[in-house]
Amino acid sequence: MASRGRKRKAEAEAVAAAGKREKPAGDRKSVEEATVVIEHCTSRVYGRNAAALSQALRLDTPELPVEVNPAKPRRGSFEVTLLRPDGSSVELWTGIKKGPPRKLKFPEPQEVVKELKKYLS
């Protein structure tokens, strides 16, 4: 016969696991206009590439706001996402599964601008 403590621990773990689930994409804060979000790891190399990319996006689409790391970034991440006013999001670039070498994680800025314009039209 199982002791009473085990059953209670299992129930508590199930409740804790349910509380830790990630929010679905629809629960993101709503944006009034389309926004480009760049998520990058806080390493120096990632920051340098994110700065170059955000500068290129601001030059080519000055009416579109660009946010860099609005939340704590994931380790080793480099992603560019377009958040639309209707709550949907489009991933313009992800470098998470790319590499080695590390330089494959980072896109050419013009490549991302071209992809962005495709989704804005």
Side-chain angles (χ1 to χ4, degrees):
M1 179 188 269
S3 68
R4 298 179 107 191
R6 288 185 183 172
K7 186 174 181 180
R8 290 183 187 148
K9 285 181 184 177
E11 289 174 5
E13 288 174 2
V15 170
K20 290 183 180 179
R21 290 188 185 137
E22 289 186 24
K23 295 180 182 178
D27 286 350
R28 288 185 178 167
K29 71 173 190 177
S30 62
V31 290
E32 294 177 8
E33 60 181 337
T35 306
V36 177
V37 177
I38 300 173
E39 176 191 3
H40 70 87
C41 178
T42 54
S43 158
R44 188 178 314 151
V45 174
Y46 288 80
R48 202 173 345 170
N49 286 298
L53 181 59
S54 65
Q55 184 179 17
L57 288 169
R58 286 182 178 122
L59 287 174
D60 285 337
T61 55
E63 71 282 352
L64 201 62
V66 178
E67 294 181 14
V68 179
N69 282 347
K72 183 178 178 186
R74 293 169 288 167
R75 182 179 172 270
S77 66
F78 196 93
E79 290 188 334
V80 183
T81 308
L82 173 65
L83 299 179
R84 294 181 173 161
D86 63 0
S88 65
S89 63
V90 177
E91 196 169 83
L92 301 174
W93 174 268
T94 182
I96 291 179
K97 294 186 180 183
K98 297 193 185 316
R102 182 183 278 178
K103 71 178 184 177
L104 294 178
K105 285 186 170 279
F106 311 113
E108 289 296 322
Q110 295 309 317
E111 201 175 304
V112 176
V113 168
K114 186 172 81 172
E115 190 75 17
L116 175 64
K117 288 184 179 182
K118 181 174 88 174
Y119 284 106
L120 289 177
S121 349

